[in-house]
Amino acid sequence: MVSSFAIKAITAFLSASAVSAQQIGKEQSETHPKMTWKRCTGKGGNSCTNVNGEVVIDANWRWLHVKGGYANCYEGNKWNATACPSNAACTKNCEIEGADYSGTYGITAGSNALTLKFVTKGQHSTNIGSRLYLMKDTNNYEMFKLVGNEFTFDVDVSQLPCGLNGALYFVSMPQKGNGIPGAKYGTGYCDAQCARDLKYVDGEANSEGWNESSNDQNAGVGKKGACCAEMDIWEANSISTALTPHSCAPEGYSVCLETNCGGTYSEDRYAGYCDANGCDFNPYRVGVKDYYGKGKTVDTSKPMTVVTQFLGSGSDLTEIKRFYVQNGKVFAQPEPQIEGMTGNSITQEWCNTQKNVFQEKDYPFNDHGGMASMGRGMNLGMVLVMSLWDDHYANMLWLDSSYPTEGDLDKPGVARGECDIGSGVPADVESKSPNSQVKFSNIKFGPIGSTFAQPAGT
Ligand SMILES: *[C@@H]1O[C@H](CO)[C@@H](O)[C@H](O)[C@H]1NC(C)=O
Ligand SMILES: *[C@@H]1O[C@H](CO)[C@@H](O)[C@H](O)[C@H]1NC(C)=O
């Protein structure tokens, strides 16, 4: 028994190390932009201390070139077949580079703020959007355990039109990313769509069988995908916003293959083991059309503070609450204004009600464990993601317009925002609104009630 265990352990070690060593290029050193945030104790946001953090851009955005040379291993939406005849050869032959954050990617960090620009014309290429992770130090992501805690940040979405999504969310990524070069180069991403657009999955290239996207000159889909639980605190532009847990079983990082991945990148969206849709709270979608937007109760033409509370303890997540603070006034998430739905926070019961009221063909949140599984995902520790993106699959209409586009507008759940169903086409937003941007700042984290002055009885 003992020796067979030992052999197993050695095999596992060898296979893990064999697939996880990516090569690191020497053209550009990797220096993470610094970003401070606050850890709070006590009450009302008055006892918070600065934490010196840093951010890293995801590996997918980086230059991949032939080892020791300048020829591309990946260009546009294709792999170089000479350098990448197989995943193993590709992993050996290609090097990943450090990032010029502002010059290439339009990313600027300053004290406690991070600004992501949409389109950046660099010396060698035009960059679209970005995705960054908050780090504890050079080689480790900061891990957040959300249950029993409150996460607060300021955001300026005033320069995000229809079709864009300035997102702040959490995923159950591994703290050190994948293998070498690990978190330092932004590896290890996973989410509840079981991302298959990743050039590397679990430390190995995803080049075999890669299909280039038909409408995205920078992206494609590989055979492997990376899945894990996802808590979308903030998917938003100046028109709409959604707060959305997505459950997965298992909750932690796991690799899927081809159509079994489900999600956005697979033929059958519901074939995988994650909830691709989520149990979302979008005020407009639950009938409160005058709450969020330019000139509305929460006015998106100005910066705002967004507070999210995760009630419960350990892995037992019972409720997700939302508040906004603007001009010194606190606004609770509004009560739904459609028949059959009550409650201004997300609970398992609220999701069950949403399922009944919206009557969609599929409601996968509960199939993968619902709130209970979300709580378990949180208890693994989650990584903070901040991103800006446009949507080559559904033009972001699920967030800010009517979706499905052919749906009856009188049916609850179809109307999600004021954008036209013809809006959000990536080619249009990239050419018409290249200077769009999102700014996140003033992040605070601590026990419930520690990051802001919560009005009594709310
Ligand atoms: C593909 O990689 C080979 C080396 O494996 C290199 O010689 C060639 O220039 C690359 N092709 C392109 C289009 O970059
Ligand atoms: C690429 O497209 C072909 C043809 O549609 C399909 O058979 C194959 O599964 C696709 N590969 C991936 C990785 O999706």
Side-chain angles (χ1 to χ4, degrees), residues 37-341:
W37 57 281
K38 285 185 159 79
R39 204 181 274 286
C40 301
T41 54
K43 280 263 166 258
N46 299 320
S47 0
C48 302
T49 47
N50 267 333
V51 179
N52 293 315
E54 47 195 81
V55 291
V56 62
I57 188 168
D58 182 272
N60 240 35
W61 271 257
R62 296 167 183 273
W63 182 30
L64 293 172
H65 60 79
V66 170
K67 194 171 179 178
Y70 296 94
N72 291 319
C73 269
Y74 179 97
E75 189 176 4
N77 52 23
K78 293 183 195 61
W79 289 91
N80 176 335
T82 315
C84 293
S86 68
N87 287 341
C90 194
T91 308
K92 234 171 50 204
N93 294 339
C94 300
E95 292 180 338
I96 186 168
E97 277 297 341
D100 172 355
Y101 282 81
S102 61
T104 304
Y105 303 107
I107 295 160
T108 48
S111 79
N112 68 6
L114 180 70
T115 303
L116 311 179
K117 245 194 89 193
F118 183 38
V119 178
T120 306
K121 287 201 164 31
Q123 204 185 335
H124 305 291
S125 60
T126 295
N127 180 69
I128 310 291
S130 54
R131 183 165 73 221
L132 290 97
Y133 311 118
L134 183 67
M135 306 194 78
K136 183 176 181 211
D137 55 44
T138 313
N139 295 303
N140 292 280
Y141 296 129
E142 184 69 61
M143 302 304 281
F144 289 87
K145 289 201 172 180
L146 296 174
V147 182
N149 289 307
E150 177 174 287
F151 186 93
T152 292
F153 64 102
D154 294 350
V155 65
D156 184 344
V157 295
S158 61
Q159 293 173 71
L160 292 179
C162 294
L164 268 75
N165 188 338
L168 183 149
Y169 59 107
F170 283 94
V171 286
S172 305
M173 284 166 70
Q175 176 160 29
K176 293 186 174 301
N178 295 132
I180 297 167
K184 184 179 179 186
Y185 281 69
T187 69
Y189 184 69
C190 53
D191 65 24
Q193 302 304 329
C194 293
R196 289 175 65 191
D197 60 341
L198 301 172
K199 295 169 196 166
Y200 287 75
V201 170
D202 206 10
E204 197 190 45
N206 195 17
S207 58
E208 282 171 29
W210 183 268
N211 287 335
E212 62 233 48
S213 163
S214 60
N215 68 351
D216 187 343
Q217 48 194 12
N218 295 309
V221 171
K223 288 185 178 171
K224 294 183 287 184
C227 317
C228 63
E230 173 177 344
M231 177 65 231
D232 294 333
I233 287 195
W234 190 249
E235 293 200 278
N237 51 34
S238 59
I239 296 90
S240 290
T241 185
L243 166 67
T244 314
H246 293 264
S247 56
C248 288
E251 296 85 15
Y253 188 90
S254 84
V255 177
C256 62
L257 269 183
E258 303 183 83
T259 48
N260 291 336
C261 292
T264 303
Y265 310 94
S266 300
E267 232 160 86
D268 179 358
R269 183 175 175 83
Y270 305 108
Y273 41 88
C274 286
D275 157 33
N277 293 6
C279 168
D280 67 309
F281 199 122
N282 167 344
Y284 195 99
R285 194 175 183 214
V286 294
V288 197
K289 301 187 172 175
D290 57 357
Y291 184 74
Y292 178 93
K294 289 198 171 168
K296 299 188 180 180
T297 305
V298 174
D299 184 357
T300 57
S301 62
K302 302 188 182 86
M304 66 188 76
T305 301
V306 180
V307 182
T308 315
Q309 298 179 328
F310 300 93
L311 276 60
S313 66
S315 64
D316 186 14
L317 169 68
T318 54
E319 185 175 5
I320 306 171
K321 290 178 80 165
R322 162 63 50 82
F323 297 91
Y324 297 87
V325 188
Q326 204 171 35
N327 295 327
K329 275 171 84 176
V330 178
F331 303 96
Q333 184 87 303
E335 282 287 331
Q337 288 174 13
I338 52 178
E339 211 174 302
M341 284 200 81

